Amino acid sequence: MTALALGMTCILVVLAAVHVTWALGVWWPFGNEARLTRAVVGTRGADRMPGPIPLALVAVFLVFAAAWPWLYWQGRAPLGGWGVRFFGIVFLVRGVLAYVPVWQRMTPQQPYRQNDRRYFGPFCIGIASVLFLISGG
């Protein structure tokens, strides 16, 4: 379980770093804000990324989500396994949204729509599954 917790921490730190990069205006990996927006935001008519504050808030959430499994296995996580489960629920909801018709209508732009169903949704469900496994529930 310690290896799972460490692995999950590493994955979530990398995701946080990507969001910080975007918050700083680096449009990696596309080099172009409009292309990146179509790939990772997907709302109708969007051609600009969310501002630095929303992107930084996502990064902060991801840092907390990264810390919780590791702290839990060290016996120092506030709320114990319930904190890990909270993050698991958030990722599960995000993952399931990829397949909900209302979300699909809200985010029709390609390639986001395709990426969401093929990659983002399953990835979030996978993260949630590991977090639930780590938390013991």
Side-chain angles (χ1 to χ4, degrees):
M1 285 298 180
T2 302
L4 271 179
L6 181 59
M8 185 55 45
T9 295
C10 291
I11 289 168
L12 293 171
V13 165
V14 168
L15 287 176
V18 169
H19 282 79
V20 168
T21 301
W22 294 342
L24 295 172
V26 178
W27 308 128
W28 178 86
F30 293 96
N32 173 300
E33 184 177 14
R35 286 180 49 208
L36 179 64
T37 303
R38 285 190 297 274
V40 301
V41 176
T43 54
R44 190 178 317 278
D47 59 355
R48 296 186 57 94
M49 287 293 287
I53 292 173
L55 289 166
L57 289 174
V58 171
V60 168
F61 170 83
L62 290 167
V63 167
F64 275 97
W68 232 269
W70 189 244
L71 291 172
Y72 175 65
W73 279 102
Q74 298 297 312
R76 294 183 283 175
L79 305 176
W82 289 105
V84 179
R85 286 183 203 103
F86 165 77
F87 290 108
I89 290 167
V90 172
F91 278 101
L92 180 62
V93 168
R94 169 57 190 91
V96 169
L97 276 176
Y99 307 100
V100 174
V102 171
W103 180 254
Q104 293 172 357
R105 284 191 298 275
M106 290 173 56
T107 58
Q109 208 169 66
Q110 292 295 347
Y112 176 83
R113 175 66 2 246
Q114 182 177 346
N115 290 340
D116 197 29
R117 290 181 65 85
R118 284 190 184 168
Y119 307 113
F120 306 153
F123 187 63
C124 287
I125 291 169
I127 289 172
S129 299
V130 173
L131 290 173
F132 290 136
L133 183 62
I134 289 168
S135 73

PDB file of all heavy atoms in Angstrom, residues 16-31:
ATOM      1  N   ALA A  16      -0.628  18.608 -10.661  1.00  0.00           N
ATOM      2  CA  ALA A  16      -0.620  19.938 -10.053  1.00  0.00           C
ATOM      3  C   ALA A  16       0.388  20.833 -10.767  1.00  0.00           C
ATOM      4  O   ALA A  16       0.106  21.999 -11.056  1.00  0.00           O
ATOM      5  CB  ALA A  16      -0.297  19.850  -8.559  1.00  0.00           C
ATOM      6  N   ALA A  17       1.551  20.296 -11.064  1.00  0.00           N
ATOM      7  CA  ALA A  17       2.589  21.075 -11.753  1.00  0.00           C
ATOM      8  C   ALA A  17       2.125  21.515 -13.138  1.00  0.00           C
ATOM      9  O   ALA A  17       2.397  22.657 -13.556  1.00  0.00           O
ATOM     10  CB  ALA A  17       3.874  20.269 -11.860  1.00  0.00           C
ATOM     11  N   VAL A  18       1.414  20.657 -13.836  1.00  0.00           N
ATOM     12  CA  VAL A  18       0.881  21.033 -15.150  1.00  0.00           C
ATOM     13  C   VAL A  18      -0.100  22.200 -15.000  1.00  0.00           C
ATOM     14  O   VAL A  18      -0.059  23.166 -15.771  1.00  0.00           O
ATOM     15  CB  VAL A  18       0.206  19.817 -15.834  1.00  0.00           C
ATOM     16  CG1 VAL A  18      -0.591  20.240 -17.058  1.00  0.00           C
ATOM     17  CG2 VAL A  18       1.254  18.778 -16.214  1.00  0.00           C
ATOM     18  N   HIS A  19      -0.962  22.148 -14.002  1.00  0.00           N
ATOM     19  CA  HIS A  19      -1.921  23.241 -13.789  1.00  0.00           C
ATOM     20  C   HIS A  19      -1.216  24.541 -13.393  1.00  0.00           C
ATOM     21  O   HIS A  19      -1.633  25.623 -13.797  1.00  0.00           O
ATOM     22  CB  HIS A  19      -2.983  22.831 -12.764  1.00  0.00           C
ATOM     23  CG  HIS A  19      -4.020  21.931 -13.351  1.00  0.00           C
ATOM     24  ND1 HIS A  19      -3.807  20.589 -13.552  1.00  0.00           N
ATOM     25  CD2 HIS A  19      -5.263  22.192 -13.809  1.00  0.00           C
ATOM     26  CE1 HIS A  19      -4.884  20.063 -14.102  1.00  0.00           C
ATOM     27  NE2 HIS A  19      -5.790  21.011 -14.275  1.00  0.00           N
ATOM     28  N   VAL A  20      -0.155  24.442 -12.613  1.00  0.00           N
ATOM     29  CA  VAL A  20       0.626  25.640 -12.272  1.00  0.00           C
ATOM     30  C   VAL A  20       1.254  26.216 -13.544  1.00  0.00           C
ATOM     31  O   VAL A  20       1.254  27.432 -13.752  1.00  0.00           O
ATOM     32  CB  VAL A  20       1.707  25.329 -11.216  1.00  0.00           C
ATOM     33  CG1 VAL A  20       2.703  26.468 -11.083  1.00  0.00           C
ATOM     34  CG2 VAL A  20       1.054  25.033  -9.871  1.00  0.00           C
ATOM     35  N   THR A  21       1.777  25.349 -14.379  1.00  0.00           N
ATOM     36  CA  THR A  21       2.365  25.796 -15.649  1.00  0.00           C
ATOM     37  C   THR A  21       1.333  26.567 -16.462  1.00  0.00           C
ATOM     38  O   THR A  21       1.620  27.647 -16.989  1.00  0.00           O
ATOM     39  CB  THR A  21       2.884  24.575 -16.447  1.00  0.00           C
ATOM     40  OG1 THR A  21       3.849  23.894 -15.657  1.00  0.00           O
ATOM     41  CG2 THR A  21       3.490  24.992 -17.761  1.00  0.00           C
ATOM     42  N   TRP A  22       0.128  26.031 -16.562  1.00  0.00           N
ATOM     43  CA  TRP A  22      -0.938  26.717 -17.297  1.00  0.00           C
ATOM     44  C   TRP A  22      -1.305  28.031 -16.611  1.00  0.00           C
ATOM     45  O   TRP A  22      -1.559  29.037 -17.280  1.00  0.00           O
ATOM     46  CB  TRP A  22      -2.160  25.829 -17.421  1.00  0.00           C
ATOM     47  CG  TRP A  22      -1.950  24.611 -18.270  1.00  0.00           C
ATOM     48  CD1 TRP A  22      -0.950  24.399 -19.188  1.00  0.00           C
ATOM     49  CD2 TRP A  22      -2.740  23.428 -18.268  1.00  0.00           C
ATOM     50  NE1 TRP A  22      -1.089  23.162 -19.759  1.00  0.00           N
ATOM     51  CE2 TRP A  22      -2.178  22.540 -19.225  1.00  0.00           C
ATOM     52  CE3 TRP A  22      -3.864  23.032 -17.569  1.00  0.00           C
ATOM     53  CZ2 TRP A  22      -2.721  21.283 -19.488  1.00  0.00           C
ATOM     54  CZ3 TRP A  22      -4.400  21.781 -17.830  1.00  0.00           C
ATOM     55  CH2 TRP A  22      -3.835  20.928 -18.781  1.00  0.00           C
ATOM     56  N   ALA A  23      -1.348  28.046 -15.286  1.00  0.00           N
ATOM     57  CA  ALA A  23      -1.665  29.278 -14.551  1.00  0.00           C
ATOM     58  C   ALA A  23      -0.634  30.368 -14.842  1.00  0.00           C
ATOM     59  O   ALA A  23      -0.959  31.558 -14.819  1.00  0.00           O
ATOM     60  CB  ALA A  23      -1.741  29.009 -13.046  1.00  0.00           C
ATOM     61  N   LEU A  24       0.592  29.959 -15.131  1.00  0.00           N
ATOM     62  CA  LEU A  24       1.659  30.913 -15.446  1.00  0.00           C
ATOM     63  C   LEU A  24       1.656  31.317 -16.922  1.00  0.00           C
ATOM     64  O   LEU A  24       2.496  32.104 -17.345  1.00  0.00           O
ATOM     65  CB  LEU A  24       3.016  30.326 -15.063  1.00  0.00           C
ATOM     66  CG  LEU A  24       3.215  30.095 -13.567  1.00  0.00           C
ATOM     67  CD1 LEU A  24       4.521  29.335 -13.313  1.00  0.00           C
ATOM     68  CD2 LEU A  24       3.190  31.413 -12.816  1.00  0.00           C
ATOM     69  N   GLY A  25       0.715  30.776 -17.691  1.00  0.00           N
ATOM     70  CA  GLY A  25       0.599  31.163 -19.098  1.00  0.00           C
ATOM     71  C   GLY A  25       1.468  30.376 -20.052  1.00  0.00           C
ATOM     72  O   GLY A  25       1.672  30.804 -21.191  1.00  0.00           O
ATOM     73  N   VAL A  26       1.955  29.232 -19.624  1.00  0.00           N
ATOM     74  CA  VAL A  26       2.725  28.358 -20.509  1.00  0.00           C
ATOM     75  C   VAL A  26       1.744  27.334 -21.066  1.00  0.00           C
ATOM     76  O   VAL A  26       1.201  26.533 -20.306  1.00  0.00           O
ATOM     77  CB  VAL A  26       3.885  27.665 -19.752  1.00  0.00           C
ATOM     78  CG1 VAL A  26       4.643  26.725 -20.675  1.00  0.00           C
ATOM     79  CG2 VAL A  26       4.802  28.703 -19.132  1.00  0.00           C
ATOM     80  N   TRP A  27       1.519  27.359 -22.353  1.00  0.00           N
ATOM     81  CA  TRP A  27       0.451  26.550 -22.952  1.00  0.00           C
ATOM     82  C   TRP A  27       0.966  25.191 -23.410  1.00  0.00           C
ATOM     83  O   TRP A  27       0.687  24.726 -24.495  1.00  0.00           O
ATOM     84  CB  TRP A  27      -0.214  27.319 -24.095  1.00  0.00           C
ATOM     85  CG  TRP A  27      -0.642  28.678 -23.675  1.00  0.00           C
ATOM     86  CD1 TRP A  27      -0.345  29.844 -24.297  1.00  0.00           C
ATOM     87  CD2 TRP A  27      -1.427  29.030 -22.540  1.00  0.00           C
ATOM     88  NE1 TRP A  27      -0.893  30.899 -23.618  1.00  0.00           N
ATOM     89  CE2 TRP A  27      -1.565  30.434 -22.523  1.00  0.00           C
ATOM     90  CE3 TRP A  27      -2.019  28.319 -21.497  1.00  0.00           C
ATOM     91  CZ2 TRP A  27      -2.265  31.117 -21.538  1.00  0.00           C
ATOM     92  CZ3 TRP A  27      -2.722  28.996 -20.514  1.00  0.00           C
ATOM     93  CH2 TRP A  27      -2.843  30.370 -20.549  1.00  0.00           C
ATOM     94  N   TRP A  28       1.710  24.546 -22.541  1.00  0.00           N
ATOM     95  CA  TRP A  28       2.231  23.228 -22.806  1.00  0.00           C
ATOM     96  C   TRP A  28       1.100  22.211 -22.769  1.00  0.00           C
ATOM     97  O   TRP A  28       0.209  22.334 -21.925  1.00  0.00           O
ATOM     98  CB  TRP A  28       3.285  22.886 -21.733  1.00  0.00           C
ATOM     99  CG  TRP A  28       3.851  21.531 -21.892  1.00  0.00           C
ATOM    100  CD1 TRP A  28       4.894  21.179 -22.685  1.00  0.00           C
ATOM    101  CD2 TRP A  28       3.400  20.340 -21.258  1.00  0.00           C
ATOM    102  NE1 TRP A  28       5.121  19.836 -22.574  1.00  0.00           N
ATOM    103  CE2 TRP A  28       4.206  19.297 -21.709  1.00  0.00           C
ATOM    104  CE3 TRP A  28       2.367  20.039 -20.367  1.00  0.00           C
ATOM    105  CZ2 TRP A  28       4.037  17.983 -21.300  1.00  0.00           C
ATOM    106  CZ3 TRP A  28       2.199  18.741 -19.961  1.00  0.00           C
ATOM    107  CH2 TRP A  28       3.031  17.726 -20.423  1.00  0.00           C
ATOM    108  N   PRO A  29       1.023  21.247 -23.587  1.00  0.00           N
ATOM    109  CA  PRO A  29       2.007  20.841 -24.589  1.00  0.00           C
ATOM    110  C   PRO A  29       1.720  21.383 -25.982  1.00  0.00           C
ATOM    111  O   PRO A  29       2.405  21.022 -26.925  1.00  0.00           O
ATOM    112  CB  PRO A  29       1.894  19.318 -24.580  1.00  0.00           C
ATOM    113  CG  PRO A  29       0.446  19.058 -24.311  1.00  0.00           C
ATOM    114  CD  PRO A  29       0.025  20.174 -23.380  1.00  0.00           C
ATOM    115  N   PHE A  30       0.736  22.256 -26.125  1.00  0.00           N
ATOM    116  CA  PHE A  30       0.328  22.717 -27.449  1.00  0.00           C
ATOM    117  C   PHE A  30       1.028  23.987 -27.914  1.00  0.00           C
ATOM    118  O   PHE A  30       1.065  24.258 -29.094  1.00  0.00           O
ATOM    119  CB  PHE A  30      -1.194  22.923 -27.495  1.00  0.00           C
ATOM    120  CG  PHE A  30      -1.949  21.636 -27.370  1.00  0.00           C
ATOM    121  CD1 PHE A  30      -2.428  21.213 -26.146  1.00  0.00           C
ATOM    122  CD2 PHE A  30      -2.158  20.830 -28.471  1.00  0.00           C
ATOM    123  CE1 PHE A  30      -3.104  20.021 -26.023  1.00  0.00           C
ATOM    124  CE2 PHE A  30      -2.832  19.630 -28.361  1.00  0.00           C
ATOM    125  CZ  PHE A  30      -3.307  19.227 -27.136  1.00  0.00           C
ATOM    126  N   GLY A  31       1.532  24.793 -26.976  1.00  0.00           N
ATOM    127  CA  GLY A  31       2.213  26.025 -27.346  1.00  0.00           C
ATOM    128  C   GLY A  31       1.284  27.113 -27.833  1.00  0.00           C
ATOM    129  O   GLY A  31       1.726  28.181 -28.229  1.00  0.00           O
TER     130      GLY A  31
END
